[in-house]
Amino acid sequence: MKDDTICEVNLVDRENVELVQSQMANQKQAMQVAEFFKTLSDPARMRIIEALSIRRLCVCDLAYIVGLSQSATSHHLRSLRDKRLVKFEKNGKMAYYSLDDEHVAGAFAAVLKHVVLEHVVHREVY
Amino acid sequence: MKDDTICEVNLVDRENVELVQSQMANQKQAMQVAEFFKTLSDPARMRIIEALSIRRLCVCDLAYIVGLSQSATSHHLRSLRDKRLVKFEKNGKMAYYSLDDEHVAGAFAAVLKHVVLEHVVHREVY
DNA sequence: TTGATATCTGAACACACATTCATATATAAG
DNA sequence: CTTATATATGAATGTGTGTTCAGATATCAA
């Protein structure tokens, strides 16, 4: 336990801290994963991704499904496009959006690797 | 394709829309999953969870590891506690935090079920 | 008791971001 | 060319939230 140590300059158990630091992914990776989570942290974007995983859709049908205005939907689609989570094809006046499967799968794989596995594997008794 | 239909009142392909709607999880579930993602969408909270998945830690050591002030760390821990993702025990002046394993595992399971599987299973040709 | 330490908490500030509104672009139809 | 439709986009607004700051609470030591 070592709670007899005195906390100087915000460090109680240096040994413990160094062990944790050595086992943690670097800060850049954590930020990337957090970035991906942030994208999915909005219910509207969540539902957009969900809907597009079922079927390719045009903007106005998508807007209807997620219950947003056409403009708001378009803004979200733009940010999702920038993150390469969705792609689109223009067909006349219409724009048909679908998931960017490879990239989404890759992102999920990264998340699973850096978060879930990390948690499942390190089941030690504290 | 059916892009010959006219878009009245924001609906191009009613049939398609209804199919997607029937296959989507309800909005409540989407919001719950989004809520969980929002919690992990902050790099600091991300690293807090990551660190605690390795070892039980007191607040000041945790603050040192994630590179935040003690106050900011405490605020994050409070929100994580409210969502039952972490738990803590007091030992004298110190507070030792650890993951609330059952709840975290449950949350991840829900996410995997409602997001990843959904995506993997529905691999149809559009 | 007094002083030091670890943590917590409310208020304030600053910044990020989702939505709306107005408008722009592009295509199709008449 | 003109009109209508589908989508895109920039600006503005309002809301949410992460951090800091100051101070509160609690425990331990002297």
Side-chain angles (χ1 to χ4, degrees):
Chain A
M1 284 288 185
K2 276 189 187 170
D3 42 336
D4 45 73
T5 343
I6 297 166
C7 179
E8 309 157 338
V9 199
N10 295 332
L11 254 180
V12 172
D13 189 337
R14 180 177 293 278
E15 199 181 315
N16 213 6
V17 166
E18 283 168 0
L19 182 139
V20 171
Q21 285 179 323
S22 72
Q23 289 195 21
M24 281 179 71
N26 63 51
Q27 202 147 5
K28 204 175 216 170
Q29 284 178 322
M31 280 178 60
Q32 287 172 339
V33 175
E35 190 71 23
F36 179 71
F37 281 136
K38 192 189 280 181
T39 302
L40 296 179
S41 71
D42 181 78
R45 278 193 299 271
M46 185 81 212
R47 282 175 70 78
I48 288 176
I49 295 287
E50 198 179 359
L52 293 182
S53 77
I54 297 171
R55 227 172 189 75
R56 192 176 84 138
L57 289 163
C58 69
V59 177
C60 68
D61 283 358
L62 194 50
Y64 177 85
I65 290 171
V66 300
L68 287 184
S69 70
Q70 175 273 319
S71 180
T73 306
S74 189
H75 278 297
H76 282 303
L77 286 170
R78 174 155 159 63
S79 93
L80 290 171
R81 242 179 3 190
D82 289 346
K83 286 155 189 159
R84 313 207 40 193
L85 295 179
V86 307
K87 56 189 177 185
F88 79 115
E89 297 170 64
K90 284 215 99 176
N91 193 337
K93 291 183 289 192
M94 323 283 286
Y96 284 93
Y97 281 79
S98 53
L99 280 197
D100 190 336
D101 282 327
E102 297 172 29
H103 212 265
V104 172
F108 270 118
V111 168
L112 293 180
K113 186 178 170 203
H114 291 296
V115 182
V116 179
L117 285 186
E118 189 122 12
H119 175 62
V120 172
V121 169
H122 296 292
R123 286 209 176 252
E124 309 170 3
V125 182
Y126 306 98
Chain B
M1 283 291 183
K2 275 189 187 171
D3 42 335
D4 44 69
T5 344
I6 298 164
C7 179
E8 309 158 338
V9 200
N10 294 332
L11 253 179
V12 171
D13 189 338
R14 181 177 293 277
E15 200 180 315
N16 213 5
V17 166
E18 283 168 359
L19 183 140
V20 171
Q21 285 179 322
S22 73
Q23 289 196 19
M24 281 179 71
N26 64 51
Q27 203 148 5
K28 202 176 216 169
Q29 285 178 322
M31 280 179 59
Q32 287 173 340
V33 176
E35 190 70 22
F36 179 71
F37 281 138
K38 192 189 280 181
T39 302
L40 296 180
S41 70
D42 181 79
R45 279 194 298 273
M46 185 80 214
R47 282 174 69 79
I48 288 176
I49 296 287
E50 196 180 359
L52 293 181
S53 77
I54 297 171
R55 228 174 188 73
R56 193 175 84 138
L57 289 163
C58 68
V59 178
C60 69
D61 283 357
L62 193 51
Y64 177 84
I65 289 172
V66 300
L68 287 184
S69 71
Q70 178 272 320
S71 180
T73 305
S74 189
H75 278 296
H76 282 304
L77 285 171
R78 175 156 158 62
S79 93
L80 290 171
R81 241 176 5 187
D82 289 346
K83 288 157 189 156
R84 315 207 38 193
L85 295 179
V86 306
K87 57 189 177 185
F88 79 115
E89 297 170 65
K90 285 214 96 174
N91 194 336
K93 291 182 288 190
M94 322 285 284
Y96 284 93
Y97 281 81
S98 53
L99 280 198
D100 190 334
D101 281 327
E102 296 172 32
H103 213 267
V104 172
F108 270 118
V111 168
L112 294 180
K113 186 177 169 203
H114 291 295
V115 181
V116 179
L117 285 186
E118 188 124 13
H119 175 63
V120 173
V121 169
H122 296 292
R123 286 208 177 252
E124 308 168 5
V125 183
Y126 305 98

